[in-house]
Amino acid sequence: KQQVLKNGLPNKYHPSDHMPVGCILEWDVDTDCNSRDLRSSDKIGFTDSTSSEGGRGLFEEDRNEGDVLQEISELLAACPFSAEEQRKDFEFVISPVQGMPLERGMRPTSEQILQVQQRRKVKKKLWEDVSDDAREMLERIIVLTKEASKFSK
């Protein structure tokens, strides 16, 4: 330790400045809390339980349209927008384009193409302006919105 403090890293004895570090983390999960770990909710197939103590939660295939819409609503309510304008912009981005999706083999009209382009432009600016936490929630909402649209087909 004294040699590292005296000579620094890297040095001839330790050619890398990467020190091995290990730790064990434990935390309690408040299952009554409205917050969710968005990184894991869709990857492990559970949406209602983050408890490691055997809570079953809902598998993606067990979810219905109401479950998906409820999660969208909860995420929108909890999303840390910095201004109401951001919320309105996002609601525009996820709003459906009239007549879309198209039947197989059909081409979008010039008006539909214009509407999609407008949404992409607003989304690009929004992604530059929102926080990382908000962006993560918004990305999850977009995935859920696509999932919800499959129920109405």
Side-chain angles (χ1 to χ4, degrees):
K1 179 178 175 181
Q2 293 301 323
Q3 223 179 29
V4 170
L5 293 173
K6 180 180 173 188
N7 300 320
L9 289 176
N11 60 39
K12 68 180 182 176
Y13 302 107
H14 300 285
S16 174
D17 62 348
H18 296 104
M19 297 292 293
V21 176
C23 69
I24 297 174
L25 302 173
E26 292 184 29
W27 60 90
D28 293 327
V29 177
D30 181 3
T31 57
D32 295 330
C33 180
N34 284 332
S35 66
R36 297 171 184 232
D37 184 348
L38 301 175
R39 294 175 297 249
S40 65
S41 64
D42 62 333
K43 291 184 178 76
I44 62 172
F46 291 93
T47 57
D48 287 351
S49 176
T50 55
S51 171
S52 61
E53 299 179 10
R56 181 175 179 276
L58 292 175
F59 285 99
E60 293 290 330
E61 60 268 11
D62 293 340
R63 292 165 43 115
N64 60 39
E65 185 177 16
D67 296 330
V68 175
L69 294 175
Q70 180 178 347
E71 186 174 351
I72 290 171
S73 176
E74 291 171 0
L75 287 170
L76 269 174
C79 189
F81 291 108
S82 61
E84 186 61 28
E85 182 181 342
Q86 288 181 343
R87 179 180 302 279
K88 289 178 183 177
D89 285 347
F90 182 69
E91 288 172 353
F92 170 72
V93 167
I94 63 171
S95 66
V97 173
Q98 189 169 3
M100 304 264 300
L102 300 170
E103 298 287 326
R104 188 178 186 104
M106 292 183 65
R107 297 183 59 113
T109 66
S110 57
E111 178 62 28
Q112 289 170 327
I113 291 170
L114 180 62
Q115 288 184 38
V116 170
Q117 289 171 339
Q118 289 170 334
R119 283 165 174 74
R120 286 181 181 160
K121 184 178 176 182
V122 170
K123 179 182 175 184
K124 183 178 180 181
K125 178 161 181 4
L126 185 62
W127 257 229
E128 293 170 358
D129 295 342
V130 297
S131 68
D132 291 342
D133 289 341
R135 189 177 311 110
E136 184 178 346
M137 293 176 93
L138 299 178
E139 288 170 350
R140 177 71 179 145
I141 292 169
I142 289 172
V143 169
L144 290 169
T145 302
K146 291 176 183 175
E147 185 179 330
S149 71
K150 293 177 185 176
F151 286 105
S152 58
K153 287 184 179 180

